[in-house]
Amino acid sequence: MMLFLNILLLLVGFVALIKGADFFVDGSSSLAKIFKVPGVIIGLTVVAMGTSLPELAVSTSAALRGSNEIAISNVTGSNIFNILCVLGFCALIHKVPVNPSILKRDYPFCILVSVFVPLAAAFSSITGGHFFTLKMSDNAGIVSRWIGIVLLVLFISYILFLIHDARKNPLEEDEETKSLSLAKSLLLIIVGVAMIIGGGQAVVYSAQFIARTFGMTETLIGLTVVAIGTSLPELVTSIVAARKGEVDLAVGNVAGSNLFNLLFILGVSSTIHPVAVNAAAVYDLAIMLAVTIVSWIFCLPKKTLVRWQGLFMILAYAAITVFAIVR
């Protein structure tokens, strides 16, 4: 009976996360329009952050509870899912064009951050010994508070750079989009934040219970169930856009979301409570780096993702999930 209730709580938590993020984005976007903030800046900041709020809620809730494995595996799992499944399904439906600036700026930066995090964690390691002699559950390092602060500084610098770049190269505004009233915008923001916080707590609590019941590690359930659930906003939005043939921003959205996960979410989580990294998480970070590089290489020649590449990425995600289960 308790298992059923916790599975139900997990599903309710996911729904609250997704709808809460939706309300937050709508309210924030409308509020920004009321105060005449350019649409391009809304997209670069509010919308990108809003779609990643489920990950933020889950990872910070996990950090506050001391569930370090969920905090870091949610970030790595979401990033792997975003690259392989979100982009993969989009490419299956419709070829995905890639903006050249994404390939020159966002992808390389994402790769550099993906290298920095495990190296910095290993440098801050509180244990000694050779990595390959460690068991999957053994501690291999720690994402300390100083690493978290560095990540947050990088995030703020990156956002400021994007805003500066957007002002230098302004895009046309969508005049047809109407904003809501000030009161309705504020209500959506408040309700959205409340749903995101509550949903995040529900997901972490129920995920821990389910993991213990089935003998699963928190790393595994964070890498799969929690990561997929919190990435549903990106997946649903991208698939709907792909079906309409509006996929020109898909790669940029994924790159931006992944950077937000790595820099802001992991930064906030580790600043709240240092995040211990076990050997399994190190493998996951390495896989995240590898799939980021592979997807970048796929995009480089023709600045487009095509159907066979999308199929390859989805099959790769299935293989990675099997590896995570059997290891």
Side-chain angles (χ1 to χ4, degrees), residues 43-44 48 51 82 86-87 96-103 105-107 110 158 162 234 238 247-260 299 305:
L44 288 169
T51 55
N82 284 346
V86 174
L87 289 182
V96 181
V98 186
N99 190 305
S101 65
I102 300 294
L103 296 176
R105 180 190 65 203
D106 302 293
Y107 252 111
C110 196
Y158 181 69
L162 288 180
E234 288 92 340
S238 296
V247 289
D248 55 318
L249 296 178
V251 177
N253 288 340
V254 166
S257 177
N258 284 11
L259 279 169
F260 183 83
C299 296
L305 279 174

Side-chain angles (χ1 to χ4, degrees), residues 301-313:
K302 297 184 178 179
K303 298 179 176 55
T304 305
L305 279 174
V306 294
R307 185 171 281 114
W308 76 264
Q309 293 170 329
L311 179 61
F312 176 86
M313 292 161 81

Side-chain angles (χ1 to χ4, degrees), residues 137-249:
S137 59
D138 288 345
N139 184 65
I142 186 168
V143 182
S144 61
R145 283 194 172 93
W146 77 263
I147 298 175
I149 292 170
V150 170
L151 292 175
L152 290 175
V153 170
L154 286 173
F155 173 75
I156 293 169
S157 301
Y158 181 69
I159 290 297
L160 291 175
F161 172 77
L162 288 180
I163 293 172
H164 174 72
D165 189 56
R167 285 177 172 169
K168 282 177 59 180
N169 305 286
L171 299 178
E172 292 183 9
E173 295 295 323
D174 184 3
E175 300 295 339
E176 296 181 3
T177 305
K178 295 181 179 179
S179 62
L180 303 170
S181 67
L182 178 60
K184 192 172 289 186
S185 300
L186 291 173
L187 179 62
L188 282 175
I189 291 171
I190 293 169
V191 171
V193 169
M195 290 177 70
I196 288 164
I197 293 172
Q201 294 281 358
V203 167
V204 171
Y205 177 84
S206 56
Q208 285 180 291
F209 182 89
I210 294 168
R212 287 194 295 267
T213 300
F214 288 100
M216 298 167 66
T217 64
E218 288 187 359
T219 296
L220 176 59
I221 201 160
L223 186 69
T224 55
V225 177
V226 177
I228 293 171
T230 55
S231 293
L232 285 177
E234 288 92 340
L235 179 62
V236 172
T237 301
S238 296
I239 288 178
V240 170
R243 290 183 64 183
K244 294 179 179 179
E246 300 171 358
V247 289
D248 55 318
L249 296 178

Side-chain angles (χ1 to χ4, degrees), residues 29-62:
S29 298
S30 178
L31 193 67
K33 287 182 182 298
I34 290 171
F35 290 103
K36 310 295 183 184
V37 177
V40 64
I41 295 180
I42 298 170
L44 288 169
T45 55
V46 175
V47 177
M49 292 165 65
T51 55
S52 289
L53 278 177
E55 286 93 334
L56 176 63
V58 168
S59 291
T60 52
S61 296

